[in-house]
Amino acid sequence: MAPKVFVLNGVNLGTLGQRRPEVYGTLTLNDIEKILLSEFPGVEFEFRQTDHEGEMVGFIREAAESAGLAINPGAWTHYSYALHDALEAVSVPKVEVHLSNVHAREEWRRRSVVSPAVDAVVAGMGAYGYRAAVAYVLSRRGGR
Ligand code: DQA
């Protein structure tokens, strides 16, 4: 059976492509999803984006039965204990993804309240970060 991987994007990530392209790149979320589909043809993806925190909590819970998840929580990263707790309650491989290098930006972006609840963090690799995150999730299945 094809492994199911959730790719979750939070607040404001639906505007990728138009939003500060010098920081987040010119690819849209749809472009990134197409890249993942072509790079990992054996994976069944669940792509979700929402600007509503409670809806994201629901998506994280749904991913509990999957092979794993990649999540870019957007600005929620920096203050959402609700997302931290939802992620903590799900025991599949979990990767936090940031397109930009949050550590090289404003001071407040350097703190992630969700990082303690995930296995790995990718920041500053642009769209490639999502590919790395999915590859990591799949590697955990193979025990590598
Ligand atoms: C982001 C970084 C966050 O600080 C910001 O609020 C975002 C996007 C990134 O992908 O670099 O919305 O998560």
Side-chain angles (χ1 to χ4, degrees):
M1 211 173 70
K4 187 182 273 199
V5 177
F6 279 69
V7 178
L8 305 177
N9 282 281
V11 61
N12 289 315
L13 288 158
T15 62
L16 275 185
Q18 295 127 49
R19 177 186 175 212
R20 303 205 56 198
E22 74 286 4
V23 176
Y24 299 118
T26 53
L27 297 179
T28 65
L29 202 49
N30 194 248
D31 293 332
I32 293 173
E33 292 170 359
K34 280 194 198 137
I35 289 169
L36 293 176
L37 285 168
S38 82
E39 172 133 352
F40 301 99
V43 170
E44 186 189 329
F45 283 105
E46 291 286 345
F47 296 119
R48 307 283 171 82
Q49 190 275 326
T50 181
D51 292 328
H52 302 277
E53 192 180 11
E55 194 171 24
M56 182 60 94
V57 168
F59 294 160
I60 292 167
R61 286 193 193 138
E62 260 189 79
E65 304 301 321
S66 71
L69 67 88
I71 182 168
N72 184 344
W76 290 327
T77 304
H78 312 297
Y79 63 87
S80 176
Y81 299 121
L83 291 191
H84 168 281
D85 287 357
L87 285 163
E88 191 179 47
V90 167
S91 57
V92 298
K94 293 161 278 188
V95 185
E96 176 185 341
V97 177
H98 300 288
L99 291 150
S100 66
N101 178 0
V102 282
H103 300 288
R105 299 180 62 197
E106 297 96 323
E107 184 73 39
W108 58 268
R109 289 189 205 272
R110 293 187 195 159
R111 176 162 180 257
S112 166
V113 301
V114 304
S115 292
V118 298
D119 300 290
V121 182
V122 178
M125 294 190 191
Y128 185 79
Y130 290 88
R131 296 159 69 189
V134 173
Y136 171 75
V137 166
L138 297 176
S139 79
R140 287 277 300 268
R141 273 171 55 90
R144 279 181 289 142

PDB file of all heavy atoms in Angstrom, residues 8-12 49-61 71-87 113-114:
ATOM      1  N   LEU A   8       1.128  19.859   5.390  1.00  0.00           N
ATOM      2  CA  LEU A   8       0.218  20.832   5.987  1.00  0.00           C
ATOM      3  C   LEU A   8       0.833  22.225   5.952  1.00  0.00           C
ATOM      4  O   LEU A   8       1.975  22.417   6.380  1.00  0.00           O
ATOM      5  CB  LEU A   8      -0.053  20.438   7.448  1.00  0.00           C
ATOM      6  CG  LEU A   8      -0.571  19.012   7.665  1.00  0.00           C
ATOM      7  CD1 LEU A   8      -0.715  18.727   9.159  1.00  0.00           C
ATOM      8  CD2 LEU A   8      -1.902  18.813   6.954  1.00  0.00           C
ATOM      9  N   ASN A   9       0.090  23.172   5.437  1.00  0.00           N
ATOM     10  CA  ASN A   9       0.551  24.554   5.378  1.00  0.00           C
ATOM     11  C   ASN A   9      -0.437  25.454   6.083  1.00  0.00           C
ATOM     12  O   ASN A   9      -1.638  25.398   5.822  1.00  0.00           O
ATOM     13  CB  ASN A   9       0.747  24.991   3.925  1.00  0.00           C
ATOM     14  CG  ASN A   9       2.042  24.439   3.361  1.00  0.00           C
ATOM     15  OD1 ASN A   9       3.118  24.973   3.626  1.00  0.00           O
ATOM     16  ND2 ASN A   9       1.943  23.349   2.615  1.00  0.00           N
ATOM     17  N   GLY A  10       0.095  26.291   6.958  1.00  0.00           N
ATOM     18  CA  GLY A  10      -0.757  27.124   7.785  1.00  0.00           C
ATOM     19  C   GLY A  10      -0.969  28.518   7.256  1.00  0.00           C
ATOM     20  O   GLY A  10      -0.927  28.770   6.039  1.00  0.00           O
ATOM     21  N   VAL A  11      -1.159  29.390   8.193  1.00  0.00           N
ATOM     22  CA  VAL A  11      -1.656  30.742   7.941  1.00  0.00           C
ATOM     23  C   VAL A  11      -0.773  31.520   6.949  1.00  0.00           C
ATOM     24  O   VAL A  11       0.450  31.521   7.063  1.00  0.00           O
ATOM     25  CB  VAL A  11      -1.822  31.471   9.298  1.00  0.00           C
ATOM     26  CG1 VAL A  11      -0.498  31.604  10.055  1.00  0.00           C
ATOM     27  CG2 VAL A  11      -2.520  32.794   9.147  1.00  0.00           C
ATOM     28  N   ASN A  12      -1.441  32.076   5.949  1.00  0.00           N
ATOM     29  CA  ASN A  12      -0.841  32.917   4.895  1.00  0.00           C
ATOM     30  C   ASN A  12      -0.060  32.152   3.826  1.00  0.00           C
ATOM     31  O   ASN A  12       0.419  32.751   2.867  1.00  0.00           O
ATOM     32  CB  ASN A  12       0.073  34.011   5.487  1.00  0.00           C
ATOM     33  CG  ASN A  12      -0.718  35.079   6.191  1.00  0.00           C
ATOM     34  OD1 ASN A  12      -1.721  35.546   5.665  1.00  0.00           O
ATOM     35  ND2 ASN A  12      -0.295  35.465   7.384  1.00  0.00           N
ATOM     36  N   GLN A  49      -4.110  23.234   3.286  1.00  0.00           N
ATOM     37  CA  GLN A  49      -3.709  24.579   3.718  1.00  0.00           C
ATOM     38  C   GLN A  49      -4.913  25.217   4.396  1.00  0.00           C
ATOM     39  O   GLN A  49      -6.050  25.072   3.939  1.00  0.00           O
ATOM     40  CB  GLN A  49      -3.281  25.445   2.512  1.00  0.00           C
ATOM     41  CG  GLN A  49      -2.617  26.786   2.899  1.00  0.00           C
ATOM     42  CD  GLN A  49      -3.607  27.912   3.175  1.00  0.00           C
ATOM     43  OE1 GLN A  49      -4.665  28.008   2.553  1.00  0.00           O
ATOM     44  NE2 GLN A  49      -3.289  28.767   4.135  1.00  0.00           N
ATOM     45  N   THR A  50      -4.647  25.910   5.505  1.00  0.00           N
ATOM     46  CA  THR A  50      -5.736  26.625   6.163  1.00  0.00           C
ATOM     47  C   THR A  50      -5.200  27.866   6.858  1.00  0.00           C
ATOM     48  O   THR A  50      -4.035  27.908   7.274  1.00  0.00           O
ATOM     49  CB  THR A  50      -6.462  25.732   7.190  1.00  0.00           C
ATOM     50  OG1 THR A  50      -7.527  26.494   7.784  1.00  0.00           O
ATOM     51  CG2 THR A  50      -5.542  25.238   8.288  1.00  0.00           C
ATOM     52  N   ASP A  51      -6.079  28.862   6.986  1.00  0.00           N
ATOM     53  CA  ASP A  51      -5.761  30.061   7.766  1.00  0.00           C
ATOM     54  C   ASP A  51      -6.443  30.007   9.132  1.00  0.00           C
ATOM     55  O   ASP A  51      -6.453  30.998   9.857  1.00  0.00           O
ATOM     56  CB  ASP A  51      -6.203  31.328   7.003  1.00  0.00           C
ATOM     57  CG  ASP A  51      -5.371  31.547   5.743  1.00  0.00           C
ATOM     58  OD1 ASP A  51      -4.179  31.182   5.739  1.00  0.00           O
ATOM     59  OD2 ASP A  51      -5.914  32.081   4.756  1.00  0.00           O
ATOM     60  N   HIS A  52      -7.027  28.838   9.457  1.00  0.00           N
ATOM     61  CA  HIS A  52      -7.765  28.700  10.719  1.00  0.00           C
ATOM     62  C   HIS A  52      -7.066  27.675  11.618  1.00  0.00           C
ATOM     63  O   HIS A  52      -6.948  26.496  11.262  1.00  0.00           O
ATOM     64  CB  HIS A  52      -9.209  28.286  10.438  1.00  0.00           C
ATOM     65  CG  HIS A  52      -9.914  29.284   9.551  1.00  0.00           C
ATOM     66  ND1 HIS A  52     -10.488  30.432  10.055  1.00  0.00           N
ATOM     67  CD2 HIS A  52     -10.061  29.338   8.211  1.00  0.00           C
ATOM     68  CE1 HIS A  52     -10.974  31.144   9.056  1.00  0.00           C
ATOM     69  NE2 HIS A  52     -10.734  30.498   7.919  1.00  0.00           N
ATOM     70  N   GLU A  53      -6.663  28.131  12.756  1.00  0.00           N
ATOM     71  CA  GLU A  53      -5.847  27.309  13.652  1.00  0.00           C
ATOM     72  C   GLU A  53      -6.550  26.013  14.070  1.00  0.00           C
ATOM     73  O   GLU A  53      -5.945  24.945  14.099  1.00  0.00           O
ATOM     74  CB  GLU A  53      -5.495  28.164  14.878  1.00  0.00           C
ATOM     75  CG  GLU A  53      -4.440  27.584  15.770  1.00  0.00           C
ATOM     76  CD  GLU A  53      -4.174  28.504  16.958  1.00  0.00           C
ATOM     77  OE1 GLU A  53      -4.943  29.467  17.189  1.00  0.00           O
ATOM     78  OE2 GLU A  53      -3.180  28.247  17.652  1.00  0.00           O
ATOM     79  N   GLY A  54      -7.840  26.121  14.401  1.00  0.00           N
ATOM     80  CA  GLY A  54      -8.583  24.933  14.836  1.00  0.00           C
ATOM     81  C   GLY A  54      -8.674  23.898  13.728  1.00  0.00           C
ATOM     82  O   GLY A  54      -8.642  22.683  13.985  1.00  0.00           O
ATOM     83  N   GLU A  55      -8.788  24.377  12.489  1.00  0.00           N
ATOM     84  CA  GLU A  55      -8.841  23.449  11.361  1.00  0.00           C
ATOM     85  C   GLU A  55      -7.498  22.718  11.221  1.00  0.00           C
ATOM     86  O   GLU A  55      -7.450  21.514  10.947  1.00  0.00           O
ATOM     87  CB  GLU A  55      -9.171  24.222  10.077  1.00  0.00           C
ATOM     88  CG  GLU A  55      -9.578  23.312   8.944  1.00  0.00           C
ATOM     89  CD  GLU A  55     -10.113  24.064   7.729  1.00  0.00           C
ATOM     90  OE1 GLU A  55      -9.792  25.255   7.540  1.00  0.00           O
ATOM     91  OE2 GLU A  55     -10.855  23.425   6.976  1.00  0.00           O
ATOM     92  N   MET A  56      -6.415  23.446  11.462  1.00  0.00           N
ATOM     93  CA  MET A  56      -5.096  22.807  11.397  1.00  0.00           C
ATOM     94  C   MET A  56      -4.957  21.728  12.472  1.00  0.00           C
ATOM     95  O   MET A  56      -4.390  20.664  12.229  1.00  0.00           O
ATOM     96  CB  MET A  56      -4.000  23.867  11.543  1.00  0.00           C
ATOM     97  CG  MET A  56      -2.602  23.301  11.439  1.00  0.00           C
ATOM     98  SD  MET A  56      -2.302  22.485   9.833  1.00  0.00           S
ATOM     99  CE  MET A  56      -1.554  23.825   8.905  1.00  0.00           C
ATOM    100  N   VAL A  57      -5.502  21.989  13.659  1.00  0.00           N
ATOM    101  CA  VAL A  57      -5.478  20.972  14.721  1.00  0.00           C
ATOM    102  C   VAL A  57      -6.167  19.696  14.220  1.00  0.00           C
ATOM    103  O   VAL A  57      -5.665  18.583  14.411  1.00  0.00           O
ATOM    104  CB  VAL A  57      -6.151  21.507  16.011  1.00  0.00           C
ATOM    105  CG1 VAL A  57      -6.385  20.379  17.008  1.00  0.00           C
ATOM    106  CG2 VAL A  57      -5.297  22.602  16.639  1.00  0.00           C
ATOM    107  N   GLY A  58      -7.283  19.860  13.526  1.00  0.00           N
ATOM    108  CA  GLY A  58      -7.999  18.707  12.963  1.00  0.00           C
ATOM    109  C   GLY A  58      -7.156  17.961  11.938  1.00  0.00           C
ATOM    110  O   GLY A  58      -7.136  16.729  11.921  1.00  0.00           O
ATOM    111  N   PHE A  59      -6.446  18.685  11.086  1.00  0.00           N
ATOM    112  CA  PHE A  59      -5.591  18.043  10.073  1.00  0.00           C
ATOM    113  C   PHE A  59      -4.480  17.230  10.752  1.00  0.00           C
ATOM    114  O   PHE A  59      -4.139  16.129  10.310  1.00  0.00           O
ATOM    115  CB  PHE A  59      -4.941  19.086   9.157  1.00  0.00           C
ATOM    116  CG  PHE A  59      -5.892  19.851   8.270  1.00  0.00           C
ATOM    117  CD1 PHE A  59      -5.496  21.073   7.712  1.00  0.00           C
ATOM    118  CD2 PHE A  59      -7.158  19.369   7.964  1.00  0.00           C
ATOM    119  CE1 PHE A  59      -6.347  21.792   6.887  1.00  0.00           C
ATOM    120  CE2 PHE A  59      -8.020  20.084   7.139  1.00  0.00           C
ATOM    121  CZ  PHE A  59      -7.611  21.301   6.600  1.00  0.00           C
ATOM    122  N   ILE A  60      -3.905  17.805  11.804  1.00  0.00           N
ATOM    123  CA  ILE A  60      -2.822  17.104  12.514  1.00  0.00           C
ATOM    124  C   ILE A  60      -3.362  15.799  13.106  1.00  0.00           C
ATOM    125  O   ILE A  60      -2.727  14.748  13.005  1.00  0.00           O
ATOM    126  CB  ILE A  60      -2.205  18.016  13.602  1.00  0.00           C
ATOM    127  CG1 ILE A  60      -1.462  19.180  12.947  1.00  0.00           C
ATOM    128  CG2 ILE A  60      -1.272  17.225  14.522  1.00  0.00           C
ATOM    129  CD1 ILE A  60      -1.072  20.315  13.903  1.00  0.00           C
ATOM    130  N   ARG A  61      -4.555  15.856  13.665  1.00  0.00           N
ATOM    131  CA  ARG A  61      -5.157  14.635  14.238  1.00  0.00           C
ATOM    132  C   ARG A  61      -5.416  13.599  13.155  1.00  0.00           C
ATOM    133  O   ARG A  61      -5.211  12.402  13.361  1.00  0.00           O
ATOM    134  CB  ARG A  61      -6.463  14.962  14.945  1.00  0.00           C
ATOM    135  CG  ARG A  61      -6.231  15.664  16.241  1.00  0.00           C
ATOM    136  CD  ARG A  61      -7.510  15.676  17.062  1.00  0.00           C
ATOM    137  NE  ARG A  61      -7.352  16.614  18.154  1.00  0.00           N
ATOM    138  CZ  ARG A  61      -8.278  17.458  18.555  1.00  0.00           C
ATOM    139  NH1 ARG A  61      -9.470  17.481  17.987  1.00  0.00           N
ATOM    140  NH2 ARG A  61      -8.051  18.270  19.557  1.00  0.00           N
ATOM    141  N   ILE A  71       4.951  19.914   8.168  1.00  0.00           N
ATOM    142  CA  ILE A  71       4.089  21.062   8.487  1.00  0.00           C
ATOM    143  C   ILE A  71       4.868  22.366   8.462  1.00  0.00           C
ATOM    144  O   ILE A  71       5.933  22.469   9.062  1.00  0.00           O
ATOM    145  CB  ILE A  71       3.388  20.878   9.860  1.00  0.00           C
ATOM    146  CG1 ILE A  71       2.456  22.071  10.146  1.00  0.00           C
ATOM    147  CG2 ILE A  71       4.377  20.662  11.006  1.00  0.00           C
ATOM    148  CD1 ILE A  71       1.498  21.864  11.310  1.00  0.00           C
ATOM    149  N   ASN A  72       4.335  23.327   7.696  1.00  0.00           N
ATOM    150  CA  ASN A  72       4.813  24.698   7.782  1.00  0.00           C
ATOM    151  C   ASN A  72       3.698  25.488   8.454  1.00  0.00           C
ATOM    152  O   ASN A  72       2.691  25.802   7.822  1.00  0.00           O
ATOM    153  CB  ASN A  72       5.126  25.271   6.401  1.00  0.00           C
ATOM    154  CG  ASN A  72       5.725  26.671   6.499  1.00  0.00           C
ATOM    155  OD1 ASN A  72       5.651  27.325   7.538  1.00  0.00           O
ATOM    156  ND2 ASN A  72       6.326  27.125   5.406  1.00  0.00           N
ATOM    157  N   PRO A  73       3.856  25.782   9.735  1.00  0.00           N
ATOM    158  CA  PRO A  73       2.761  26.444  10.450  1.00  0.00           C
ATOM    159  C   PRO A  73       2.693  27.955  10.192  1.00  0.00           C
ATOM    160  O   PRO A  73       1.813  28.617  10.757  1.00  0.00           O
ATOM    161  CB  PRO A  73       3.099  26.182  11.931  1.00  0.00           C
ATOM    162  CG  PRO A  73       4.246  25.215  11.945  1.00  0.00           C
ATOM    163  CD  PRO A  73       4.955  25.395  10.642  1.00  0.00           C
ATOM    164  N   GLY A  74       3.608  28.518   9.370  1.00  0.00           N
ATOM    165  CA  GLY A  74       3.611  29.969   9.164  1.00  0.00           C
ATOM    166  C   GLY A  74       3.831  30.670  10.498  1.00  0.00           C
ATOM    167  O   GLY A  74       4.564  30.165  11.364  1.00  0.00           O
ATOM    168  N   ALA A  75       3.169  31.800  10.682  1.00  0.00           N
ATOM    169  CA  ALA A  75       3.394  32.585  11.907  1.00  0.00           C
ATOM    170  C   ALA A  75       2.926  31.867  13.172  1.00  0.00           C
ATOM    171  O   ALA A  75       3.382  32.191  14.270  1.00  0.00           O
ATOM    172  CB  ALA A  75       2.691  33.938  11.786  1.00  0.00           C
ATOM    173  N   TRP A  76       2.063  30.864  13.045  1.00  0.00           N
ATOM    174  CA  TRP A  76       1.655  30.088  14.237  1.00  0.00           C
ATOM    175  C   TRP A  76       2.861  29.449  14.918  1.00  0.00           C
ATOM    176  O   TRP A  76       2.835  29.168  16.110  1.00  0.00           O
ATOM    177  CB  TRP A  76       0.653  28.982  13.860  1.00  0.00           C
ATOM    178  CG  TRP A  76      -0.696  29.470  13.465  1.00  0.00           C
ATOM    179  CD1 TRP A  76      -1.352  30.572  13.946  1.00  0.00           C
ATOM    180  CD2 TRP A  76      -1.577  28.871  12.510  1.00  0.00           C
ATOM    181  NE1 TRP A  76      -2.579  30.686  13.351  1.00  0.00           N
ATOM    182  CE2 TRP A  76      -2.748  29.663  12.464  1.00  0.00           C
ATOM    183  CE3 TRP A  76      -1.502  27.740  11.700  1.00  0.00           C
ATOM    184  CZ2 TRP A  76      -3.827  29.348  11.643  1.00  0.00           C
ATOM    185  CZ3 TRP A  76      -2.567  27.428  10.875  1.00  0.00           C
ATOM    186  CH2 TRP A  76      -3.716  28.224  10.844  1.00  0.00           C
ATOM    187  N   THR A  77       3.878  29.180  14.113  1.00  0.00           N
ATOM    188  CA  THR A  77       5.124  28.598  14.641  1.00  0.00           C
ATOM    189  C   THR A  77       5.558  29.272  15.936  1.00  0.00           C
ATOM    190  O   THR A  77       6.049  28.621  16.851  1.00  0.00           O
ATOM    191  CB  THR A  77       6.268  28.842  13.612  1.00  0.00           C
ATOM    192  OG1 THR A  77       5.883  28.305  12.362  1.00  0.00           O
ATOM    193  CG2 THR A  77       7.584  28.242  14.074  1.00  0.00           C
ATOM    194  N   HIS A  78       5.394  30.589  15.953  1.00  0.00           N
ATOM    195  CA  HIS A  78       6.036  31.386  16.987  1.00  0.00           C
ATOM    196  C   HIS A  78       5.192  31.565  18.245  1.00  0.00           C
ATOM    197  O   HIS A  78       5.683  32.081  19.238  1.00  0.00           O
ATOM    198  CB  HIS A  78       6.425  32.747  16.398  1.00  0.00           C
ATOM    199  CG  HIS A  78       7.128  32.613  15.074  1.00  0.00           C
ATOM    200  ND1 HIS A  78       8.348  31.977  14.943  1.00  0.00           N
ATOM    201  CD2 HIS A  78       6.762  32.970  13.800  1.00  0.00           C
ATOM    202  CE1 HIS A  78       8.707  31.986  13.667  1.00  0.00           C
ATOM    203  NE2 HIS A  78       7.768  32.564  12.939  1.00  0.00           N
ATOM    204  N   TYR A  79       3.912  31.140  18.192  1.00  0.00           N
ATOM    205  CA  TYR A  79       3.101  31.360  19.400  1.00  0.00           C
ATOM    206  C   TYR A  79       1.988  30.348  19.642  1.00  0.00           C
ATOM    207  O   TYR A  79       1.304  30.434  20.664  1.00  0.00           O
ATOM    208  CB  TYR A  79       2.476  32.764  19.380  1.00  0.00           C
ATOM    209  CG  TYR A  79       1.504  32.995  18.243  1.00  0.00           C
ATOM    210  CD1 TYR A  79       0.148  32.663  18.373  1.00  0.00           C
ATOM    211  CD2 TYR A  79       1.931  33.514  17.034  1.00  0.00           C
ATOM    212  CE1 TYR A  79      -0.742  32.862  17.343  1.00  0.00           C
ATOM    213  CE2 TYR A  79       1.038  33.712  15.983  1.00  0.00           C
ATOM    214  CZ  TYR A  79      -0.294  33.376  16.151  1.00  0.00           C
ATOM    215  OH  TYR A  79      -1.169  33.560  15.109  1.00  0.00           O
ATOM    216  N   SER A  80       1.811  29.354  18.764  1.00  0.00           N
ATOM    217  CA  SER A  80       0.639  28.488  18.944  1.00  0.00           C
ATOM    218  C   SER A  80       0.927  27.243  19.799  1.00  0.00           C
ATOM    219  O   SER A  80       1.395  26.219  19.303  1.00  0.00           O
ATOM    220  CB  SER A  80       0.060  28.031  17.596  1.00  0.00           C
ATOM    221  OG  SER A  80      -1.009  27.124  17.856  1.00  0.00           O
ATOM    222  N   TYR A  81       0.594  27.361  21.082  1.00  0.00           N
ATOM    223  CA  TYR A  81       0.721  26.190  21.953  1.00  0.00           C
ATOM    224  C   TYR A  81      -0.315  25.137  21.575  1.00  0.00           C
ATOM    225  O   TYR A  81      -0.128  23.955  21.838  1.00  0.00           O
ATOM    226  CB  TYR A  81       0.553  26.601  23.424  1.00  0.00           C
ATOM    227  CG  TYR A  81       1.605  27.586  23.884  1.00  0.00           C
ATOM    228  CD1 TYR A  81       1.258  28.834  24.366  1.00  0.00           C
ATOM    229  CD2 TYR A  81       2.959  27.256  23.814  1.00  0.00           C
ATOM    230  CE1 TYR A  81       2.227  29.740  24.780  1.00  0.00           C
ATOM    231  CE2 TYR A  81       3.936  28.151  24.217  1.00  0.00           C
ATOM    232  CZ  TYR A  81       3.565  29.393  24.687  1.00  0.00           C
ATOM    233  OH  TYR A  81       4.524  30.282  25.076  1.00  0.00           O
ATOM    234  N   ALA A  82      -1.408  25.571  20.947  1.00  0.00           N
ATOM    235  CA  ALA A  82      -2.428  24.610  20.506  1.00  0.00           C
ATOM    236  C   ALA A  82      -1.839  23.675  19.446  1.00  0.00           C
ATOM    237  O   ALA A  82      -2.067  22.456  19.486  1.00  0.00           O
ATOM    238  CB  ALA A  82      -3.638  25.349  19.941  1.00  0.00           C
ATOM    239  N   LEU A  83      -1.069  24.226  18.510  1.00  0.00           N
ATOM    240  CA  LEU A  83      -0.442  23.354  17.499  1.00  0.00           C
ATOM    241  C   LEU A  83       0.652  22.502  18.130  1.00  0.00           C
ATOM    242  O   LEU A  83       0.817  21.330  17.774  1.00  0.00           O
ATOM    243  CB  LEU A  83       0.133  24.180  16.333  1.00  0.00           C
ATOM    244  CG  LEU A  83      -0.882  24.866  15.417  1.00  0.00           C
ATOM    245  CD1 LEU A  83      -0.183  25.404  14.172  1.00  0.00           C
ATOM    246  CD2 LEU A  83      -2.016  23.946  15.009  1.00  0.00           C
ATOM    247  N   HIS A  84       1.389  23.059  19.071  1.00  0.00           N
ATOM    248  CA  HIS A  84       2.386  22.248  19.788  1.00  0.00           C
ATOM    249  C   HIS A  84       1.721  21.026  20.409  1.00  0.00           C
ATOM    250  O   HIS A  84       2.171  19.885  20.228  1.00  0.00           O
ATOM    251  CB  HIS A  84       3.069  23.069  20.886  1.00  0.00           C
ATOM    252  CG  HIS A  84       3.877  22.217  21.819  1.00  0.00           C
ATOM    253  ND1 HIS A  84       3.305  21.475  22.839  1.00  0.00           N
ATOM    254  CD2 HIS A  84       5.193  21.924  21.853  1.00  0.00           C
ATOM    255  CE1 HIS A  84       4.246  20.782  23.460  1.00  0.00           C
ATOM    256  NE2 HIS A  84       5.397  21.040  22.883  1.00  0.00           N
ATOM    257  N   ASP A  85       0.627  21.262  21.128  1.00  0.00           N
ATOM    258  CA  ASP A  85      -0.028  20.159  21.842  1.00  0.00           C
ATOM    259  C   ASP A  85      -0.645  19.149  20.880  1.00  0.00           C
ATOM    260  O   ASP A  85      -0.602  17.946  21.134  1.00  0.00           O
ATOM    261  CB  ASP A  85      -1.107  20.703  22.793  1.00  0.00           C
ATOM    262  CG  ASP A  85      -0.499  21.375  24.021  1.00  0.00           C
ATOM    263  OD1 ASP A  85       0.738  21.360  24.157  1.00  0.00           O
ATOM    264  OD2 ASP A  85      -1.267  21.920  24.834  1.00  0.00           O
ATOM    265  N   ALA A  86      -1.187  19.634  19.759  1.00  0.00           N
ATOM    266  CA  ALA A  86      -1.763  18.710  18.768  1.00  0.00           C
ATOM    267  C   ALA A  86      -0.656  17.840  18.171  1.00  0.00           C
ATOM    268  O   ALA A  86      -0.819  16.621  18.009  1.00  0.00           O
ATOM    269  CB  ALA A  86      -2.469  19.501  17.662  1.00  0.00           C
ATOM    270  N   LEU A  87       0.484  18.447  17.863  1.00  0.00           N
ATOM    271  CA  LEU A  87       1.602  17.682  17.285  1.00  0.00           C
ATOM    272  C   LEU A  87       2.160  16.682  18.301  1.00  0.00           C
ATOM    273  O   LEU A  87       2.476  15.536  17.954  1.00  0.00           O
ATOM    274  CB  LEU A  87       2.709  18.633  16.823  1.00  0.00           C
ATOM    275  CG  LEU A  87       2.403  19.401  15.532  1.00  0.00           C
ATOM    276  CD1 LEU A  87       3.322  20.606  15.373  1.00  0.00           C
ATOM    277  CD2 LEU A  87       2.508  18.483  14.310  1.00  0.00           C
ATOM    278  N   VAL A 113       7.600  27.581  19.005  1.00  0.00           N
ATOM    279  CA  VAL A 113       7.006  26.847  20.127  1.00  0.00           C
ATOM    280  C   VAL A 113       6.568  25.443  19.707  1.00  0.00           C
ATOM    281  O   VAL A 113       6.207  24.640  20.555  1.00  0.00           O
ATOM    282  CB  VAL A 113       5.831  27.616  20.785  1.00  0.00           C
ATOM    283  CG1 VAL A 113       6.285  28.979  21.297  1.00  0.00           C
ATOM    284  CG2 VAL A 113       4.629  27.737  19.852  1.00  0.00           C
ATOM    285  N   VAL A 114       6.615  25.150  18.411  1.00  0.00           N
ATOM    286  CA  VAL A 114       6.211  23.804  17.962  1.00  0.00           C
ATOM    287  C   VAL A 114       7.404  22.847  17.836  1.00  0.00           C
ATOM    288  O   VAL A 114       7.233  21.630  17.895  1.00  0.00           O
ATOM    289  CB  VAL A 114       5.393  23.832  16.633  1.00  0.00           C
ATOM    290  CG1 VAL A 114       4.170  24.711  16.752  1.00  0.00           C
ATOM    291  CG2 VAL A 114       6.224  24.249  15.446  1.00  0.00           C
TER     292      VAL A 114
END
